[in-house]
Structures are given as C-alpha cells and as structure tokens.
Amino acid sequence: MDIRKLTTDDFEACMTLSEYAFQFVLNEEQLEKRREEFASHNVLGVYENGQVGAKLQIIPFQTYIQGRSFAMGGIAGVATWPEYRRKGWVAGLLKFALEEMNRNKQSISFLHPFSFAFYRKYGWETYVEFKNYKLSTDQLPAKKATPGTLRRSNPELSVLKEIYDTYAERYNGTLSRNDSWWENSVYAKKGSQRAVYYDEAGLPQGYVLYEVKERKFTIGEMVHLNEEARQGLWTFIANHDSMIDEVTLKAPANDTLAFQLDNPRIQQEVTPYFMARIVSVEQFISQYPFASQDSPVQIQLEVEDAHAPWNEGVWELNVAMNGTASIWKKGELTKEDQHAQHIRLNIQSLTAVLMGYRRPAEMARIDRIQGSEEDIQALEKAIPVRQTYLMDFF
C-alpha cells in the first residue's frame, strides 16, 4: 500500500473523488475556497497505478476540554473509489493518520462517522449527542419582558466570538473557532440573519443565527450566557408568530427547554453526533485538568489500543491535590502488575470517560472498564463533571 502526503498538485484528483463519493458538485468559487483549505490541511492518500485511490484529510483544530484548549486533529473527507474498496486502505490511512497526529502533538481526534461501528474498530468512540427540537408557534416559550435590548443587525464578528468563546468553554468538545472558520463555515451555513441580546449595561450576552423561510424559523445556532439572555432571545423568536408556523433548533443533550415550558410535550429527538479518540494517552492526560483532590491520587491504567501501540500498556497516573496530572508508562503488564490493583480499559472507553461523555462508575456497571471499587471511585472523583457539545460540522 503506497500511502503518501498529498500536495496541492493532487487537489483536482481529491476533489473528483470527494464529489463522486459524497455526491455533490461545487462551483468555481466553492472550489477555490476548498483549494485554499486544502493547502492548510494534512491530506493523506493511497496511490494505485499513479492515481489517488483513497484519501482522508486531517484538519488542524483547537477544542475546549475542561475549560482548556487542546490541539485536535479533525478527520474528514474519508473516501475510496468503489473499485478499490475492501482492500484495507482506509484502515491503513487511519493508522497513518494516528501516527501523523501523534507526531504533530494533536492529542485528541474527532470525526463524523458514516458508521459508528466501523470507526470503533480503530479506537474512536461516541463523545457527543444533541437534542433536535421542533416547536409549533403555540408551544414556544412565553414572551417575557427583559431589561436588555435585542438588536437584529450584522454585528461585528468580535461580538459573536466573545459570546461564543465564553459559552463554548463551558462544554467539552466544542471548537475554538478562528476567523476563517467563522466566515467560511458558521456564517456560510447557519443562516444569514443575526440577532444579539445585550444586557442593561450594553454587554452582549447571547445571539441567534437563523433563517425565516416558508413559514419556518430555522435556528442555525443559538447561544446564551445566562437566563435573561435566553428569555430575551426566545421572546424575539416568539414575536415572529404571525410569520411562522414552526421553529427548529439543536441544543445540548442536557438542555432544559421542555422542562421550562408550560406544556413540555414537544417534539424532541436525541441524536448521536461525533466520535472522539485519544491519540496520545501521555500527551492528553498531561494536559488534562483533573478535579482538585483532598489528597494526591495514584491510579494504574492498563490501556488496550491495537492501532496506536504507543498507548498500549500499563500507565501510572498521579493526580496532585490541585488537579495537575503526571503520567508515565510502566511498560507491558508484568506478573506483579497482574496481581496489583489497576483499571483495565480500551482506548474507546478511556476517551468516553475523559471527554465527560460517560462516567467511570457507569462504565464499570456496563463492564466497559474493569477495576476495584476503590480505584473506580478514585477515578470518578478525579474527573470533573462537564457536558459534551459540538455546534459545528466538518
């Protein structure tokens, strides 16, 4: 298998494959934007008879985890020509991609799967889901007077960024967006209309990106930093009641909209969304801010990772009282380790736990991790509780 890093000379071949595999056609302007993005991505391909037969790209992102920014490799555009499928090429590309991300210190990776089962085989695991809401106008939150002001306009990007960054840091797995991502992904895909809620002091506290068309109010993104801003934004939306019949939006999985309605029997659906994978146990945990402890914690982790051998083995994790962690690899499991207390888990389970998507005690109950009750509880207390969320797509 001839795997190579692709260059801009391979752009046309890659786009032809993407258009075929994902069944879309781009115009000249869109192709030019893709060409610019291509140059900044790490694109890998399998060559067969001098042609690109399969490819994927690693997009460099930053993601918030426990309020801290982590370097993340976003896997996207995985595609193979039909005549070359089932040759193990994607497996080879994913393994090569893991090596690339490890070298580039991208300690975590996200992707949007065509099949959750397929990517679980290579170490990725579900890390986030969201709620889909659909409300008729008579189900909307009651209009309520708020002390602030709602301005429907074209606000400066810096205003939306300030609100978004404050909001995104409250979750695990949100993107830290740069200006280019705002312009080419957020603005381009989430609705041309924008409204910002300002409090009495004139400080921006929330915004909504939306589209009103064919009597539908489609919310591309709704962000609020406090309850006042939430109420102000919903009152603005409800004031469209003569123009619309329904409102649709996505929200975090723990969103409480239904509970706050007079009639909570609204249409809502929980949808599994993206997957995550720890690329480097050592790099990731060394950055990870654990919860403060009454006393230092020491836990041994026996990690299984067939596709990233640098993660496989027994690790000693030490968490200081201030939540700072140190970790080092003890090597393969020895006879002494087999009799010592430690937690056994694969890279998928470790990812789900440290991303905050699942708790250690819950994972132990369903036999996704094994260990003593004492060690499981120590890990449970060490990992801060924080909801996962992702508002973007790639």
Side-chain angles (χ1 to χ4, degrees), residues 73-125:
I75 302 293
V78 182
T80 309
W81 286 109
E83 59 268 32
Y84 296 134
R85 289 175 185 162
R86 295 171 181 83
K87 293 178 176 288
W89 288 3
V90 170
L93 283 170
L94 290 172
K95 183 177 179 181
F96 197 94
L98 287 169
E99 293 168 354
E100 281 287 292
M101 290 186 287
N102 189 39
R103 280 192 290 268
N104 293 330
K105 300 191 182 304
Q106 293 166 317
S107 63
I108 188 80
S109 173
F110 296 169
L111 58 78
H112 183 263
F114 78 93
S115 163
F116 286 84
F118 177 84
Y119 284 105
R120 277 190 176 123
K121 293 188 297 185
Y122 303 103
W124 276 264
E125 183 54 273

Side-chain angles (χ1 to χ4, degrees), residues 122-133:
Y122 303 103
W124 276 264
E125 183 54 273
T126 313
Y127 94 85
V128 66
E129 56 201 17
F130 58 79
K131 284 184 180 177
N132 275 309
Y133 289 121

Side-chain angles (χ1 to χ4, degrees), residues 6 25 50-51 63 80 95 102 109 132 136 155 167 175 208 223 254 259 292 310 323 327 333 340 381 388 391:
L6 304 185
V25 177
Q51 301 293 324
T63 182
T80 309
K95 183 177 179 181
N102 189 39
S109 173
N132 275 309
S136 59
Y167 182 81
L175 294 189
V208 60
V223 171
N254 66 344
F259 178 74
S292 298
W310 53 88
I327 188 167
L333 193 65
K381 292 177 182 178
T388 59
M391 290 179 276

Side-chain angles (χ1 to χ4, degrees), residues 117-311:
F118 177 84
Y119 284 105
R120 277 190 176 123
K121 293 188 297 185
Y122 303 103
W124 276 264
E125 183 54 273
T126 313
Y127 94 85
V128 66
E129 56 201 17
F130 58 79
K131 284 184 180 177
N132 275 309
Y133 289 121
K134 181 185 288 187
L135 300 90
S136 59
T137 50
D138 61 348
Q139 294 174 319
L140 294 176
K143 299 174 186 178
K144 186 172 182 179
T146 53
T149 304
L150 194 294
R151 299 178 194 167
R152 183 184 53 79
S153 62
N154 189 15
E156 293 289 332
L157 176 55
S158 59
V159 173
L160 300 189
K161 283 181 65 177
E162 178 184 349
I163 302 169
Y164 170 82
D165 288 338
T166 301
Y167 182 81
E169 286 181 13
R170 298 175 180 177
Y171 295 91
N172 287 345
T174 47
L175 294 189
S176 175
R177 297 169 172 170
N178 59 29
D179 288 2
S180 175
W181 188 258
W182 272 98
E183 294 290 346
N184 297 320
S185 185
V186 181
Y187 280 177
K189 299 175 182 177
K190 297 203 172 191
S192 59
Q193 301 294 323
R194 301 159 200 169
V196 178
Y197 182 84
Y198 296 83
D199 64 17
E200 268 189 303
L203 299 176
Q205 300 292 343
Y207 68 80
V208 60
L209 311 179
Y210 66 98
E211 201 75 58
V212 179
K213 189 176 182 180
E214 297 176 352
R215 300 194 61 80
K216 294 181 181 180
F217 193 109
T218 303
I219 299 175
E221 186 163 295
M222 185 173 177
V223 171
H224 39 80
L225 302 184
N226 51 47
E227 180 60 16
E228 178 189 316
R230 189 192 76 85
Q231 292 174 350
L233 290 170
W234 272 115
T235 297
F236 168 73
I237 294 165
N239 283 335
H240 290 76
D241 53 0
S242 66
M243 302 167 54
I244 62 174
D245 297 320
E246 69 178 39
V247 176
T248 59
L249 74 151
K250 296 177 182 177
N254 66 344
D255 186 73
T256 58
L257 173 62
F259 178 74
Q260 292 174 282
L261 295 175
D262 292 336
N263 177 13
R265 287 178 175 168
I266 60 172
Q267 183 175 327
Q268 52 183 313
E269 178 184 38
V270 176
T271 303
Y273 192 31
F274 263 64
M275 304 181 83
R277 188 204 206 281
I278 292 174
V279 174
S280 167
V281 169
E282 183 175 21
Q283 290 177 25
F284 186 81
I285 290 182
S286 296
Q287 295 175 266
Y288 192 90
F290 287 86
S292 298
Q293 306 293 306
D294 294 332
S295 59
V297 173
Q298 185 179 87
I299 303 171
Q300 290 194 65
L301 301 174
E302 181 189 340
V303 179
E304 175 190 328
D305 191 346
H307 298 280
W310 53 88
N311 290 330

Side-chain angles (χ1 to χ4, degrees), residues 17 45-48 51-55 79-81 84 89:
L17 173 52
V46 178
Y47 262 76
E48 177 81 354
Q51 301 293 324
V52 176
K55 57 90 178 178
T80 309
W81 286 109
Y84 296 134
W89 288 3

